[in-house]
Amino acid sequence: MKVLDMQGIRKAFGELSVLKDISLSVEEGEVVAVIGPSGSGKSTLLRCATLLETVDGGSITYLDQAVAWEKDGAAVYAPPRELREVRQVFGLVFQNFNLFPHFSVLRNIMDAPMKVQKRPGTEVEQEARELLKKMGLEGREDAYPFQLSGGQQQRVAIARALAMKPKLLFFDEPTSALDPELTGEVLRVIRRLAEEKMTMVIVTHEMGFARQVADRVIFMDGGVIIEQGGPELIDHPTQARTRAFLNKLEGETT
């Protein structure tokens, strides 16, 4: 079953065309890694998929529910009520955590399920505590974000996204703000989610991680998908632009 289907997506900021006829589908249980240089359109693609940006053209569908489609050369979006429903299908974990600084860890996780999904507090609290245990953060329920390391904050952010019971989880460079030791903590959590068959789209520069967890790797550059394939693409790219990017990345990390 397709959780997400994006077809012919176009997005420009003024004169700058950032996404040029991009198509991406994600099957239930699939882990898709999106790689590419800075400025290639990876984060914009995620922001369009998660409705943080509007597309200029193309179509977006979640679980057979049309979100955006093209009419007379421009994108048209579904009514606000339908968009609110669709937003509960997916979760997004940002680079910089985006936790509420004045909320405790527990409240950060409980807030959206109670306010948006109107679920009972006792049920949400129990699930939130179980998620924190799963994230290796048992005992930190009453801490505030400033009292946590970056890796711990990102694990709280993942727990917060999971608390909404999404069908698909997006990660936008989830380790880019972390040092190598803390990066490992977060990648272990995402790896475990992959083993549990959580459907995920991960924008990442961690090639070793992508090689291990991704079912499919997509290489973007210049607002287009240059090539895609299984994780073996990282070691055996067919396109010169992909090879150049991976060789440069390998040179920076050795």
Side-chain angles (χ1 to χ4, degrees):
M1 179 179 65
K2 278 184 188 173
V3 181
L4 169 66
D5 188 33
M6 304 176 78
Q7 296 294 324
I9 297 298
R10 303 189 308 280
K11 175 67 180 177
F13 295 101
E15 297 296 309
L16 179 64
S17 181
V18 180
L19 299 177
K20 307 165 187 174
D21 195 22
I22 291 256
S23 295
L24 168 67
S25 317
V26 184
E27 297 285 335
E28 187 175 20
E30 188 179 23
V31 179
V32 178
V34 184
I35 65 173
S38 296
S40 60
K42 306 183 304 294
S43 290
T44 301
L45 179 63
L46 250 61
R47 290 181 66 81
C48 289
T50 55
L51 311 183
L52 294 173
E53 297 281 359
T54 54
V55 299
D56 299 326
S59 66
I60 304 173
T61 306
Y62 276 98
L63 298 173
D64 295 328
Q65 185 170 356
V67 173
W69 55 93
E70 194 156 335
K71 184 178 180 182
D72 300 328
V76 178
Y77 276 78
R81 185 179 60 80
E82 290 180 29
L83 294 182
R84 279 196 297 274
E85 289 173 9
V86 165
R87 281 190 174 93
Q88 296 191 44
V89 172
F90 58 80
L92 174 59
V93 178
F94 298 89
Q95 294 180 25
N96 296 315
F97 328 132
N98 284 21
L99 299 176
F100 295 116
H102 56 295
F103 283 3
S104 69
V105 163
L106 193 63
R107 191 173 170 196
N108 260 287
I109 296 169
M110 292 176 60
D111 191 58
M114 289 175 63
K115 283 187 178 170
V116 178
Q117 296 178 333
K118 311 297 185 191
R119 290 166 56 204
T122 50
E123 174 192 305
V124 172
E125 181 176 347
Q126 183 181 345
E127 289 180 7
R129 289 181 184 278
E130 287 170 3
L131 281 168
L132 284 172
K133 189 174 181 180
K134 184 175 181 178
M135 297 293 140
L137 291 168
E138 197 174 12
R140 303 312 307 269
E141 293 84 356
D142 297 326
Y144 284 83
F146 77 91
Q147 297 172 308
L148 305 177
S149 70
Q152 289 172 326
Q153 289 186 59
Q154 191 60 294
R155 283 182 279 154
V156 173
I158 295 170
R160 179 179 62 179
L162 289 170
M164 294 291 285
K165 301 183 184 296
K167 299 286 187 190
L168 169 59
L169 206 48
F170 291 96
F171 292 86
D172 187 8
E173 296 276 15
T175 61
S176 65
L178 306 176
D179 65 37
E181 187 178 348
L182 300 179
T183 291
E185 296 176 5
V186 174
L187 295 184
R188 275 192 294 277
V189 167
I190 300 174
R191 191 176 291 117
R192 194 158 64 243
L193 292 174
E195 289 166 359
E196 295 169 1
K197 295 298 179 188
M198 181 76 204
T199 311
M200 295 185 282
V201 176
I202 308 167
V203 170
T204 184
H205 59 276
E206 299 283 345
M207 293 305 120
F209 171 70
R211 192 187 286 112
Q212 288 174 4
V213 305
D215 299 300
R216 184 154 46 104
V217 175
I218 291 173
F219 173 68
M220 284 182 66
D221 196 11
V224 298
I225 292 175
I226 303 297
E227 67 174 309
Q228 59 181 303
E232 65 276 3
L233 181 149
I234 294 169
D235 297 311
H236 305 289
T238 61
Q239 300 297 313
R241 284 165 82 180
T242 317
R243 277 197 297 275
F245 167 73
L246 291 166
N247 288 340
K248 182 172 184 287
L249 206 62
E250 190 177 339
E252 289 171 357
T253 55
T254 54

